[in-house]
Amino acid sequence: MFGDRSPIYRQIADRIKADVASGALGPDEQVMSTNQYASFYGINPATAQKAFQTLVDEGVLYKRRGLGMYVSPGAREALIAEKRTRYFDAVLGPALDEAMAIGISADELRSFFDARTKRQDQ
């Protein structure tokens, strides 16, 4: 699970966010405790706590005193909206800029898009 160079707490937070965004973790669903997470993955409990606190700060999780951490209602929708914005900014925006720079018209782009989505619908 901890394969890239980013801090382990960030990788944990990103994994939980991915599970929330995919629907694997639903609204008001309890997540493992920091101690359970630390034990399961063999990491320092402080690292797990930092990941969970990051998610609380971002509004993905909330705490129920004495009960644990839960997925915030609306977290999935917020994460998807954030991912969509990043996708448009990082992928489609530059692709459209490049298309316009090499003379691809809006009509050509629409035709390409329609043909591509029609293939995927079949």
Side-chain angles (χ1 to χ4, degrees):
M1 173 173 186
F2 308 115
D4 66 35
R5 294 185 182 268
S6 63
I8 291 174
Y9 85 91
R10 187 75 254 167
Q11 292 179 58
I12 293 167
D14 289 346
R15 177 73 254 158
I16 292 171
K17 286 168 78 170
D19 287 345
V20 172
S22 73
L25 288 171
D28 296 311
E29 186 172 336
Q30 187 172 19
V31 297
M32 277 193 276
S33 73
T34 55
N35 288 334
Q36 289 171 322
Y37 214 90
S39 176
F40 186 80
Y41 288 106
I43 60 171
N44 187 316
T47 301
Q49 177 59 36
K50 187 171 183 178
F52 281 54
Q53 187 58 51
T54 298
L55 293 169
V56 168
D57 293 345
E58 293 176 0
V60 176
L61 299 179
Y62 68 94
K63 298 176 191 178
R64 286 188 184 165
R65 188 174 175 97
L67 297 175
M69 298 282 209
Y70 294 80
V71 176
S72 298
R76 181 173 192 257
E77 293 78 9
L79 289 169
I80 289 171
E82 179 184 312
K83 287 177 92 169
R84 288 172 56 96
T85 298
R86 279 197 319 265
Y87 180 78
F88 279 111
D89 291 346
V91 177
L92 288 184
L96 182 57
D97 292 344
E98 178 69 16
M100 291 186 313
I102 61 174
I104 297 175
S105 71
D107 286 337
E108 288 174 295
L109 289 170
R110 278 188 213 88
S111 293
F112 176 82
F113 178 80
D114 290 343
R116 180 58 76 81
T117 55
K118 183 182 277 188
R119 270 193 307 206
Q120 290 185 354
D121 289 342
Q122 295 176 351

